[in-house]
Each structure stands twice: as structure tokens, then as C-alpha cells.
Amino acid sequence: MSSIEPPEGSRADCLLSIHQSRLAELFLQLPQPLKDLARSKRAFRDFQPETDLYSSRDPAASPWLFWETFSCLEDDTFLQLAGAGAVLYLSSIVLDHLVDGHLVESGATALLYKALYDRGVSTLQDNFPRTSEFWAHFERLNAEHLSGLAAEVEARTKPEVFTRENMIVMAQGKVCPGVMTIAAMAEASGQQDVLRPVEKSLKNLAVASQLIDDVQDWESDVEVGHLTYFLACLVPVDDWVAGERPSIEELQQRINDQWIDVDHWREAMYWHDRAIELMHDIFCPTWTDHVHDKRTLADKHREVAIARHLTRELRHFAPKQATHRSINLSAEPKKSSTRVPRMDAVLDEAVRSALEAVLTSQSDDGSWVDFDLPTVGASDAWVTAHVGLKLATLPELWSNDSLGDALEAAAKFLYVKWHHGWGYNDSAPVDADSTAHALLMLNATGSKPPTSTIDALLSFQYSDGGFATYTPFRSRSMPQNWLVSHPDVTPIVVRALAPYSTDPRVADAINRAMRRMDTDRLSDGTWPSFWWKLRWYTASAWVNAAISIKEPLSSIHWHAGRELNAEWTTDLDAAHLLECSMNIGRIDIAEQVAQHLLRNQLEDGSWLRAPVLRQPKPGVHQPWNAPDDEICYADVSGVYSTATILSAIAKWMSYKSGDS
């Protein structure tokens, strides 16, 4: 069944035809001036409806989209409630345009609104006694509708109040008259329990639709001086109030620089997803298909916007003979501009072999894929961000065309996977760790991360200053111990936020997070890890975070009474210790660890995989103290470990050659 047209000759189709005839008859009964106004497009200013008001079939107001849920109603009851809902919804459209100033004949328009509203209420009164619970919902929805319109009026006179929250209130308020139809049918059919999820689904779709309208109509909105949330993200409020609005060309440049259109398309898809999820337990395929269709269309627009931005961003890349699949590691690596590096043959071969193993494992779409968890499968976005970061921060002497092509492809992949942040994969919610790694990787390659990524990361900060992997807002179904600050995630986020510390909000977030460096430290001088069964992962992360914010490394040194105990659990753990010991000046330990890693490298350039990615059980907040309450997984492809170890050895080689 189409989301608008039922199968020809079906019961739903027959009822829809009767419904349309009754609406047309209703408008014929209006006084002539109101009838003319309802039919006339000339009465509208800056708004040209595609059809006459009385033939409007706005899907948001159509009970036929919920046919499977309410087809149990008798024909006459269904038609009466559908008719009442339709005229109430149409009256809300008239009121909306009256408030917008779209209608020229305001006096006649007010009368048309009252005629439609009174007719709808009268029909509902014929079906529900005043003692019915329906009227409580009616009054509530009516109040929400008026609140949304009031918020819109206030935003027009006080642009500074045009926030995301107010946009949501406005959008959800506009659909409330349509929800009245659902409330009536739920009450009449004895299915009161479906009202809440259906109402929320309708409201979420309304927000998605508002975001899309704002993106698609922004130029015409600028021309008529109509402020929207999209424009509020582009134009400083003071400029809008003072009338010093940028030109359309200037605004287009801001969109090009900040990718705000992509942000809005993705947020629209987020609201589409919420609308679909809410209907999970209700059999209503027509509505679900309708929302899916809208989401698919939004996704296509998003892809077009990303492609347009990427084309512009990548113009500065010179054409290359080889693609990122063509790997040439036989060419000499770049030499230092100040000296010829003293190459160690063993280190040189180890780095070459490992780099080839990582580059050849890259997928055609630019991703690297590894791990394979029973609950969510393999990771692409998170692993790509991590591997890309390790490759992007290799010493300059290892730069070549093959590496550059691989990083360019990985950056494109991450742009496509962005959804107000990044997650483990498409099946998992956005998380702070994946988002921080992606932000680090994009910045390391000179790419422009979406502007709202910083706000997304800040939203993960917990009350104790640390950063949680997930947030309740995005991940309500996650165990509670996954929604609190984690000692191994916090330093990664600090490092990712460091380049933005001129922003007072970011500076404050970093200052609060840095307190965790001392608070989380264990008695042996290391730091625990929630997600990793590794001794040195978090220590290495804190060292890198301190370097990124120019924190004196003396605060991390293992001083008297806290001597560094150079023990590691796996080759991956050894790589973190190697990088950590180099950065704090413990070259004796670095030499020992590097020799171990060189001895353990496999013939294919990789290293042994080990089950070190921990999945703590619900309720376990300190899994490092509860080894029996954890399940650990290995990187089955070995690309995660190999990229990490490769990075550490390459930096050690650069250090030994005197090129660091």
C-alpha cells in the first residue's frame, strides 16, 4: 500500500473517496466569501499551495497511514473521526499561515479558521461524551499547538531565542492537530496504549520535516527575512537583529566551510530513525514505510551534499597515476630536510612490511574493518579512525603517494559515516571514543571535521569531569556502567579537543577532565582501562593528551616511590608502552620493548592477535578488578594491532635516526 494512495477498490480506498467527497461538500456549504478564500490561491502571499485547501491530503494528518492499526473501526466511525481530524488539521494550517503573515485577507481568514475548527470540534463532541479521556488529550494537544505558534511568534521578534530546543517545540506543536485524529481513533477503538508511541513518532517526523524544509528553502527564507533554525546556525543573532545579514553568496560560503547542510540532513535522518524505532511494537507497515521513504530521500540528499563538499575540498589534491589500491613501498621514503637518517635495516624492514600489511587490508570503500563482536559485528568507522590516525601521524620519512591515497580514501569514508559523531559501526550508537578518534584522524590529514563534532564530544562529559563512552540520550538501552565516565576514553577526548581550546567551553571541559588524570591513577603509576585488557593503553593516551595541551610531562613521570614497572601483557600492550616510554624519556625501556616487538613480528608483517578488547558485563564499573566478569575479543583481521605497533616502531626508528 502506498503511503498516500490505498490499493484501488480496497475498503481503505473506498473510505478515502467518501472522505474526500465529504470534505468537498463541507467547503461547498461555507458562506461564499469563505468558500472563495479556501479555494483561491490569490489570497496567499509568499505561499502557493499546490492544491486547494479542501483537497489537501497532508500525510501527517492522514489516518490512512495508520490503516492497519485503526481499520478495526466501523466505516461510519472511521469516516467521522477522519473528517473531524481533517478539518481540524486544515484549520491549523490556516491559523499557521495567519500567524506567519502569509494570508492577505486576515479578517476572512480568521472566520475560515473558526468555521473549520468549530466543525471539527462539533463532530468530535458527537462521538465522545465530555467525560471521555479523549478530551484531556484534546486539550493537551491544543495547548501544545498554541505553544508552538507562540514560540514562533516570539522567535520572529526576538531572534536570540531561536534555539534548537525552540525549533523542536515549534515543529512538534504544528503536528499536534494531526495527532488529535490519532487520539480520537485510539480512544474509539479501545487502543489507548498506541497513542503515546504513535504521537511521539509523528512528532519526531515533524522535526525531521522541519529540518529538511529549512535546508531546502534557506535562500527564499533569506530573501523574505524569515529566520529559521538553519539560518540561526549560519547567521549570528546580532546580525539578524541589526539587519546586517550576510548575502546569499556569503551564506553559501559558510555552508561550504562548515558543512552545516550535511549536519542538518543527518539530524533529520536521526529524527526519522527515532520515528521508526518508536513503532517497533506496533504493526503499522504503511506508516513505517512512509517514514522509511522519507529517510531514504533525506539520505540521498545527504550523499549529494557530501559529494558536492568533497569535490570542492579535494580540488587541491594533484592527480596521481596510482590509486589507493596501488601500493609502492619499494621507493625510498622521504629524507629529512636537515640530515640523512641513519637507517636501521631491521627496523626499516619491519616498518615496510607492517605498512604494506595495513595498506593492503584497506577495503575498496576506504575503510579498515576489524574485530567481530557477537552483538554488533565488525567495526568499520571506529577501526578506520584509529588506523587512519596511526598512519596519518607516522614520521614524515614514511610519507608517499600510496599512504596519501589510503588516508584520503579513509577520510572520505568517515565523512560518509558521520552522524552527529561516529560509532563502532552503523548498528551501534555514536560514542565518544570513535568520535574522538575520527576527529583526530581528520585533523591529522588536514581534512575539515563537521563543525558540530565538538558539541557532540562535549555532550559526553560526565559530572565528574570524565567522558563517558555513551550517553543516555543516544543510547538508552546500554547498560548503566557504559554510560558513566571511563578512564580510557577521557584522555582520548582531551587530545581530540585540544586544538579547539580557545573556545571557553572546550577549555573548561579540558580543565575538568584533566583532574581525572590524578584521580584515576592506580598505585603502580598506571591507569586502568574500562574497555581494554591492557596495562599501558590509558597511560599512553594520557601522555599524548598531556603533550597535545602542552601539559608538563613531569606530572606523569614515575618519580621516586613510583618506579615504572616495564611489564606488558601482549604485543599490542608493548606498543603502547613503547610510545609512552619514548615520550617520557625512558629510552632504556623503549629499547627493550622495541627489540621484543621486532622479534615477534610475523612473516606477513603483522603481529599475533590477542583477546584484549573487553566487553564488561552490566553493573561492573571496574572490570580491571573483576576479571571473571568480562568477555574479551581479539582483532580478528590483525589490522588494529598492526597499525598500532607499526606506529610505535616507526616513531622509535625516527627517534633512533635522530629525525625526531
Side-chain angles (χ1 to χ4, degrees):
M1 180 185 290
S2 165
S3 61
I4 296 178
E5 298 293 344
E8 186 175 355
S10 65
R11 176 182 171 227
D13 183 49
C14 293
L15 291 182
L16 181 58
S17 297
I18 297 172
H19 172 71
Q20 290 295 100
S21 298
R22 288 184 178 181
L23 278 180
E25 184 179 347
L26 166 65
F27 277 84
L28 288 174
Q29 295 171 0
L30 290 171
Q32 192 63 44
L34 301 188
K35 185 193 312 181
D36 293 341
L37 176 63
R39 287 181 163 181
S40 175
K41 297 179 183 179
R42 295 189 304 274
F44 291 84
R45 183 183 67 215
D46 302 327
F47 171 74
Q48 293 295 320
E50 294 182 0
T51 60
D52 296 337
L53 269 179
Y54 66 80
S55 63
S56 172
R57 293 164 65 174
D58 191 313
S62 175
W64 275 265
L65 285 175
F66 300 92
W67 176 255
E68 295 87 357
T69 306
F70 300 120
S71 60
C72 57
L73 289 169
E74 296 290 336
D75 289 359
D76 187 57
T77 302
F78 188 96
L79 285 170
Q80 285 196 51
L81 298 182
V87 292
L88 283 173
Y89 194 77
L90 290 173
S91 74
S92 75
I93 294 176
V94 174
L95 181 60
D96 184 33
H97 294 307
L98 185 62
V99 170
D100 280 344
H102 286 146
L103 294 166
V104 174
E105 302 175 27
S106 58
T109 301
L111 292 176
L112 176 60
Y113 161 74
K114 188 176 188 310
L116 294 173
Y117 182 83
D118 288 350
R119 177 59 180 263
V121 172
S122 175
T123 304
L124 291 174
Q125 288 173 338
D126 291 341
N127 282 270
F128 300 105
R130 289 305 304 175
T131 55
S132 171
E133 292 184 6
F134 162 76
W135 292 107
H137 293 299
F138 179 88
E139 295 298 335
R140 173 180 60 82
L141 293 167
N142 209 25
E144 289 183 27
H145 177 226
L146 294 177
S147 294
L149 292 177
E152 190 170 346
V153 171
E154 183 183 24
R156 195 175 302 122
T157 56
K158 299 178 181 177
E160 64 272 14
V161 304
F162 210 125
T163 62
R164 179 177 181 273
E165 290 70 24
N166 276 348
M167 179 274 295
I168 294 172
V169 169
M170 296 175 203
Q172 294 187 341
K174 287 182 179 180
V175 81
C176 283
V179 180
M180 290 176 183
T181 310
I182 304 303
M185 291 194 166
E187 183 71 20
S189 64
Q191 301 181 85
Q192 292 87 346
D193 57 326
V194 306
L195 174 58
R196 182 177 177 83
V198 171
E199 177 180 342
K200 287 188 174 182
S201 185
L202 274 162
K203 288 180 175 178
N204 287 341
L205 179 61
V207 176
S209 300
Q210 186 64 59
L211 288 164
I212 291 171
D213 287 346
D214 289 353
V215 176
Q216 293 182 322
D217 300 337
W218 73 267
E219 291 186 51
S220 59
D221 287 331
V222 171
E223 291 173 352
V224 300
H226 178 59
L227 180 62
T228 65
Y229 173 63
F230 181 76
L231 291 176
C233 293
L234 282 172
V235 183
V237 171
D238 292 342
D239 290 354
W240 194 272
V241 174
E244 300 173 357
R245 303 163 197 164
S247 66
I248 287 180
E249 292 73 20
E250 290 173 312
L251 291 173
Q252 183 63 64
Q253 186 58 51
R254 294 184 187 184
I255 294 172
N256 294 344
D257 291 341
Q258 302 175 32
W259 291 37
I260 290 181
D261 54 342
V262 176
D263 291 354
H264 277 64
W265 284 116
R266 282 173 172 150
E267 180 160 10
M269 292 168 61
Y270 163 75
W271 288 96
H272 285 138
D273 289 339
R274 291 184 64 177
I276 294 169
E277 290 168 5
L278 285 162
M279 299 295 288
H280 182 268
D281 296 326
I282 299 175
F283 179 70
C284 196
T286 302
W287 171 251
T288 304
D289 289 347
H290 173 70
V291 182
H292 267 298
D293 289 345
K294 286 186 172 292
R295 187 194 187 281
T296 299
L297 184 60
D299 194 22
K300 289 180 180 177
H301 281 291
R302 176 190 64 86
E303 290 177 351
V304 169
I306 289 175
R308 186 167 56 247
H309 286 303
L310 283 176
T311 300
R312 186 169 44 254
E313 292 278 346
L314 299 175
R315 281 175 184 166
H316 65 278
F317 284 98
K320 301 181 177 70
Q321 295 298 319
T323 67
H324 72 278
R325 300 266 60 81
S326 175
I327 299 170
N328 179 15
L329 294 176
S330 60
E332 283 294 312
K334 291 184 179 179
K335 305 294 184 181
S336 167
S337 59
T338 57
R339 69 178 74 190
V340 176
R342 299 188 299 276
M343 293 290 186
D344 182 297
V346 177
L347 282 170
D348 181 36
E349 179 56 31
V351 173
R352 285 178 181 275
S353 177
L355 184 55
E356 182 174 7
V358 173
L359 293 182
T360 54
S361 67
Q362 189 176 28
S363 302
D364 290 339
D365 62 2
S367 68
W368 281 282
V369 179
D370 212 339
F371 295 98
D372 190 7
L373 307 188
T375 51
V376 290
S379 171
D380 50 13
W382 169 60
V383 170
T384 299
H386 174 83
V387 173
L389 174 62
K390 292 301 181 183
L391 297 185
T393 53
L394 287 175
E396 178 66 17
L397 63 95
W398 287 104
S399 297
N400 58 39
D401 287 350
S402 294
L403 178 58
D405 289 343
L407 291 173
E408 180 183 330
K412 289 181 180 179
F413 175 81
L414 288 178
Y415 280 131
V416 172
K417 291 297 179 179
W418 189 86
H419 184 65
H420 289 279
W422 287 267
Y424 176 87
N425 61 18
D426 286 341
S427 299
V430 168
D431 68 81
D433 189 69
S434 299
T435 300
H437 273 97
L439 182 61
L440 285 164
M441 185 269 180
L442 291 175
N443 279 328
T445 57
S447 306
K448 289 183 179 179
T451 307
S452 59
T453 305
I454 307 306
D455 290 328
L457 267 183
L458 292 176
S459 71
F460 288 95
Q461 190 161 35
Y462 201 64
S463 56
D464 62 5
F467 283 86
T469 307
Y470 299 99
T471 66
F473 174 72
R474 296 174 181 262
S475 322
R476 289 187 176 88
S477 62
M478 292 291 183
Q480 198 279 332
N481 57 322
W482 293 16
L483 304 175
V484 297
S485 65
H486 295 133
D488 43 347
V489 174
T490 299
I492 302 295
V493 177
V494 168
R495 181 184 174 192
L497 290 175
Y500 307 93
S501 58
T502 54
D503 183 330
R505 299 174 307 144
V506 175
D508 177 67
I510 290 175
N511 287 334
R512 290 195 292 129
M514 287 301 293
R515 298 170 193 156
R516 303 303 309 175
M517 187 171 69
D518 288 330
T519 305
D520 292 337
R521 201 166 190 180
L522 301 175
S523 59
D524 66 354
T526 63
W527 285 264
S529 174
F530 184 82
W531 296 107
W532 294 99
K533 194 173 184 177
L534 296 171
R535 189 161 184 259
W536 295 103
Y537 177 91
T538 310
S540 178
W542 270 122
V543 169
N544 282 317
I547 292 172
S548 68
I549 63 171
K550 299 178 174 58
E551 175 80 9
L553 288 181
S554 57
S555 62
I556 296 181
H557 279 176
W558 279 257
H559 45 72
R562 188 182 263 178
E563 181 60 27
L564 188 151
N565 183 5
E567 296 179 354
W568 58 87
T569 58
T570 64
D571 291 343
L572 180 59
D573 200 28
H576 291 299
L577 174 57
L578 173 56
E579 186 165 353
C580 181
S581 56
M582 272 192 294
N583 282 326
I584 66 173
R586 292 300 302 269
I587 306 307
D588 55 331
I589 294 175
E591 181 73 53
Q592 175 189 353
V593 178
Q595 291 302 319
H596 164 83
L597 290 172
L598 291 173
R599 288 193 301 270
N600 278 21
Q601 189 175 25
L602 303 177
E603 290 186 3
D604 64 359
S606 68
W607 279 264
L608 286 173
R609 295 78 159 144
V612 293
L613 179 61
R614 177 188 282 141
Q615 190 169 3
K617 294 182 180 179
V620 179
H621 288 264
Q622 296 183 349
W624 55 91
N625 288 330
D628 294 334
D629 290 322
E630 65 182 16
I631 304 173
C632 295
Y633 301 94
D635 51 331
V636 291
S637 300
V639 65
Y640 184 98
S641 293
T642 301
T644 307
I645 300 170
L646 157 67
S647 172
I649 290 180
K651 290 172 183 175
W652 173 244
M653 179 178 179
S654 176
Y655 177 88
K656 288 197 67 176
S657 69
D659 201 39
S660 60

